[in-house]
Amino acid sequence: MNAPWSSWLHEYMHKCRSGEILVGQELMQMFDILDELLHDPDIRFDPEDANKRIKFIEEKCRHFEAPYAGKPFKLELFQKAFVTALHAFKMFEEEISKWVRLFQDVLFLVGRKNGKTPLIGGLNLAEFFCGPEGIKILCSSNDYEQAALMFDAINAMREESPSLEKVTRKNLTGIYFGNPKRRTKKSKFSYRNKGHIKKISAKTGAKEGRNIAVGAADEVHEMKDNSGVMPIRQSLSTQDEPLYYELTTEGFTNDGYLDGRMVEARQVLNRELHRPRWLVWIYTQDSEQEVWQDERTWVKSNPGLGTIKKWSFLRTMVEESKTNKATRIFVLAKDFNIKQNNAAAWLTADEITNQDDVPFDLEKMRGRIAIGGVDLSKSGDLACARALFLMGGKKYTVSQYFIPESKLSQLSKEDLEKYKSWIREGRMTVSDGNENDFRLVTQWFVKLVKSYGIRFLKIGYDKWSAIYWVKEMEDAGFDMVRVAQDWAPMSEPMKLVEADLRSNLIYYNNDNLDKFCLENTAITVNSKMEQMPIKVQGKDDRKIDGAVTLIICYRAYIDNRSDFVRLSA
């Protein structure tokens, strides 16, 4: 530590306040709270426990992944400051008549690839060795695979250190003290110590009844509610100095568990909510605009930028986000901790309207090969069928919509006039009663074959399709392929549709009904950067079936590209 600083926390706060290190306003608010604690006569500041854990990590732990595999785990200043803030503040606990760690609850939010999982993993390993005998630690996440990341990080650091490995062992259930070759040893680091480190997911049953000292929940942004974390927090209730970590980036789950926690965290920072034992350590941008206008501000949500995380990587991602909607949503949430609506509009008006779209009719497609797509949706809703053609490097598409008569009576006056207009124009076929007559969909495809000599290579259909209708189509000679409306099947074709619309490579006569569906379509992104179409938030009555059929057609096109291109030549 560099003089004259009395702790890593003091040095970090000074450099942040002087502007030498850029951090967001929300972390600055936490610094103000810590400053008040430093002057509170009822609170002691003693960095000894923090320094002990920092020393343990730097001297005993080693990295296990490229490009740092085998190298000592040297903590950055921001990491040392965090450890100090967590462990140095002490309060006198009347119930047990002793001084204990002030902070028991931690929210650590930082952009991805800034070393949060290895850091908390290292802290857990340090707690395992530096904490009291019999300490039990639990690594948790929304799924078992994510929980395993932290557990595996802890175990890999343990295995990299000969001195740590010599006094511990790992089996299928967890990490324990005691070397099988030294069973007679009786020290703290022997079989006598019944402490352990285990992993668990939010989906694992029988979470109640545990008695742990440290619980760490990774990537809580994926949790819809607190059912995965409350049993863990309750399991800490018997400890004198319980410690519960939540480490995460922002996510895409609307009204999920993290959303509620972030509301409360910001109330704490704004002095609207009193939670004196909660350390809110969050790295956030002050606005989205600064992300695009000044790359120097990127360190506000990425404190490890330039040392842990590569500038070149983030620059590439930001550049890609300027032209790819899914990447933009993902990068803003995961790299800059800017919460993204999981139903953000997919396309702009300019992208939807094809400026080069020269009107065409089916006569132009006579005798050509096509790929079909169908979104039958639920029986009482709008359905759509589509044919996609390839000609001169461009894609041409025609569609037909279907609706039950009873559905018309449920429309608003404004929408009813539009629907009646589409019915008069022949763009929408009405079925009697409360259900779509799927035979009308079959008749539309058969008409294209018989009246225009169009041949269908494949016809994709969605998961709502009736079994009997699929059989009817197959009996009519069509080759049907299932396209589930899920992340993996829909992501790639949705990206290609967006790119082709932007490049004016899709011709659809700028049809008002197709345009209506495209305008209503939103994009949602998951943690794997996969995307799916959904309705624009707040517009549940709007229809996206036309956009879905276009994406389904593109899925069948991608899977049969070679044959389709050859037959379309």
Side-chain angles (χ1 to χ4, degrees):
M1 192 183 318
N2 298 323
W5 315 115
S6 59
S7 76
W8 298 113
L9 178 63
H10 286 81
E11 180 179 355
Y12 187 58
M13 289 197 300
H14 174 81
K15 289 184 175 180
C16 291
R17 287 193 167 121
S18 69
E20 184 178 343
I21 297 174
L22 280 183
V23 295
Q25 186 57 38
E26 291 180 320
L27 189 56
M28 286 288 207
Q29 288 177 286
M30 191 66 224
F31 290 166
D32 291 340
I33 294 173
L34 296 179
D35 263 338
E36 291 178 10
L37 292 174
L38 288 169
H39 296 89
D40 188 332
D42 294 326
I43 301 296
R44 287 181 181 175
F45 182 81
D46 181 0
E48 181 181 350
D49 286 342
N51 291 337
K52 183 178 181 180
R53 284 154 178 79
I54 291 170
K55 182 179 180 181
F56 176 89
I57 292 173
E58 294 197 322
E59 291 185 358
K60 297 295 185 181
C61 298
R62 290 180 177 273
H63 291 288
F64 57 94
E65 292 180 322
Y68 307 109
K71 296 180 180 178
F73 193 158
K74 296 300 181 184
L75 296 174
E76 299 292 321
L77 177 59
F78 79 92
Q79 295 171 321
K80 293 178 181 179
F82 166 72
V83 176
T84 303
L86 175 58
H87 286 281
F89 291 94
K90 312 288 184 178
M91 64 170 285
F92 189 77
E93 186 69 74
E94 297 285 352
E95 186 176 5
I96 56 177
S97 298
K98 71 175 184 179
W99 288 88
V100 297
R101 184 186 350 94
L102 171 65
F103 294 115
Q104 298 180 346
D105 192 355
V106 180
L107 175 61
F108 185 74
L109 179 132
V110 67
R112 63 174 175 151
K113 302 303 180 185
N114 279 274
K116 66 179 183 304
T117 300
L119 172 63
I120 305 302
L123 277 173
N124 281 336
L125 192 57
E127 205 64 32
F128 194 47
F129 278 86
C130 302
E133 186 170 334
I135 191 169
K136 295 180 180 179
I137 298 172
L138 198 60
C139 305
S140 171
S141 190
N142 195 51
D143 58 60
Y144 203 68
E145 182 179 351
Q146 186 64 44
L149 290 180
M150 185 188 301
F151 179 85
D152 292 344
I154 294 171
N155 185 57
M157 284 187 275
R158 179 192 70 88
E159 291 178 337
E160 285 290 328
S161 171
S163 61
L164 301 184
E165 187 182 31
K166 188 166 68 174
V167 294
T168 55
R169 69 190 190 277
K170 174 187 174 293
N171 59 29
L172 292 175
T173 62
I175 298 170
Y176 301 85
F177 281 111
N179 188 324
K181 297 179 181 179
R182 293 179 170 85
R183 287 183 177 273
T184 58
K185 292 284 185 178
K186 299 298 181 183
S187 69
K188 176 184 175 181
F189 305 135
S190 69
Y191 274 78
R192 189 191 74 194
N193 189 339
K194 302 305 180 185
H196 63 236
I197 304 175
K198 294 185 177 182
K199 57 187 172 183
I200 192 173
S201 84
K203 300 179 177 66
T204 304
K207 291 186 284 289
E208 289 79 6
R210 298 175 183 271
N211 182 19
I212 61 173
V214 180
D218 198 3
E219 300 296 8
V220 296
H221 65 84
E222 295 181 347
M223 297 180 181
K224 294 181 179 179
D225 53 41
N226 67 357
S227 60
V229 300
M230 285 310 295
I232 296 172
R233 299 183 70 180
Q234 290 295 326
S235 299
L236 297 162
S237 60
T238 65
Q239 303 295 315
D240 289 347
E241 294 190 86
L243 181 55
Y244 171 66
Y245 295 101
E246 288 176 343
L247 55 153
T248 188
T249 59
E250 263 295 1
F252 313 104
T253 303
N254 271 3
D255 300 320
Y257 173 71
L258 180 60
D259 287 343
R261 290 289 274 176
M262 289 299 290
V263 167
E264 292 179 341
R266 287 175 170 128
Q267 288 174 338
V268 168
L269 297 178
N270 291 324
R271 316 303 178 92
E272 298 166 358
L273 182 64
H274 187 58
R275 296 273 180 84
R277 310 202 73 167
W278 191 13
L279 178 62
V280 178
W281 197 272
I282 57 179
Y283 287 96
T284 54
Q285 299 292 137
D286 293 326
S287 71
E288 181 181 332
Q289 288 72 25
E290 66 182 4
V291 172
W292 310 111
Q293 295 171 359
D294 187 356
E295 70 171 32
R296 293 174 301 174
T297 67
W298 294 355
V299 295
K300 291 182 180 180
S301 45
N302 296 274
L305 197 56
T307 53
I308 302 173
K309 185 172 181 174
K310 295 290 188 290
W311 275 98
S312 57
F313 167 81
L314 191 51
R315 287 186 181 115
T316 299
M317 296 305 297
V318 170
E319 194 60 32
E320 185 179 327
S321 355
K322 294 177 181 177
T323 56
N324 185 293
K325 189 67 63 66
T327 303
R328 179 188 179 99
I329 293 171
F330 187 89
V331 166
L332 287 176
K334 308 300 288 182
D335 287 300
F336 295 107
N337 286 325
I338 299 173
K339 174 69 179 180
Q340 296 297 291
N341 188 324
N342 71 345
W346 179 30
L347 302 166
T348 67
D350 288 342
E351 289 168 340
I352 292 171
T353 302
N354 190 329
Q355 305 299 330
D356 300 330
D357 198 343
V358 179
F360 67 94
D361 56 27
L362 280 168
E363 191 60 41
K364 185 175 181 178
M365 302 301 156
R366 179 173 292 279
R368 299 196 67 82
I369 197 78
I371 279 178
V374 181
D375 179 18
L376 293 184
S377 191
K378 297 178 183 178
S379 58
D381 212 338
L382 191 67
C384 180
R386 183 177 298 280
L388 181 74
F389 306 88
L390 183 62
M391 191 166 57
K394 296 180 172 58
K395 300 178 183 77
Y396 295 77
T397 181
V398 294
S399 61
Q400 183 66 23
Y401 291 79
F402 306 84
I403 192 170
E405 185 179 23
S406 62
K407 192 69 178 179
L408 296 172
S409 63
Q410 302 173 23
L411 298 172
S412 66
K413 184 177 180 181
E414 179 184 355
D415 283 345
L416 181 59
E417 290 304 313
K418 285 192 293 189
Y419 276 61
K420 284 183 175 179
S421 173
W422 288 323
I423 293 168
R424 287 193 299 268
E425 294 169 2
R427 295 289 295 113
M428 192 175 287
T429 303
V430 181
S431 297
D432 295 333
N434 297 316
E435 297 180 324
N436 270 313
D437 185 349
F438 296 153
R439 291 176 299 178
L440 298 174
V441 178
T442 305
Q443 290 172 17
W444 184 75
F445 281 107
V446 170
K447 178 184 176 182
L448 296 185
V449 173
K450 291 185 176 181
S451 299
Y452 298 95
I454 293 169
R455 296 165 294 152
F456 283 89
L457 178 63
K458 302 283 184 180
I459 295 180
Y461 64 95
D462 75 303
K463 64 182 179 180
W464 291 107
S465 301
I467 295 173
Y468 297 111
W469 174 78
V470 174
K471 186 177 185 304
E472 178 183 274
M473 288 288 286
E474 289 175 339
D475 289 344
F478 296 106
D479 190 351
M480 308 298 291
V481 291
R482 172 81 177 274
V483 179
Q485 292 190 36
D486 206 347
W487 296 106
M490 300 297 278
S491 184
E492 185 182 4
M494 190 175 181
K495 292 176 183 177
L496 187 54
V497 168
E498 179 184 342
D500 280 358
L501 279 170
R502 188 181 293 115
S503 302
N504 285 333
L505 294 178
I506 298 178
Y507 290 77
Y508 66 102
N509 284 326
N510 281 324
D511 178 75
N512 285 332
L513 188 42
D514 282 346
K515 191 178 293 185
F516 172 74
C517 290
L518 289 168
E519 289 170 346
N520 293 333
T521 305
I523 181 175
T524 181
V525 180
N526 68 7
S527 58
K528 298 178 182 177
M529 218 188 307
E530 295 171 328
Q531 61 190 72
M532 268 183 57
I534 56 174
K535 294 178 180 179
V536 171
Q537 197 169 41
K539 294 185 178 181
D540 291 340
D541 58 330
R542 300 300 185 183
K543 305 305 173 190
I544 66 171
D545 305 74
V548 171
T549 58
L550 186 56
I551 295 167
I552 288 174
C553 282
Y554 263 63
R555 176 75 269 169
Y557 159 71
I558 290 169
D559 293 341
N560 300 275
R561 184 185 278 115
S562 297
D563 288 341
F564 190 48
V565 170
R566 176 175 54 83
L567 294 170
S568 297

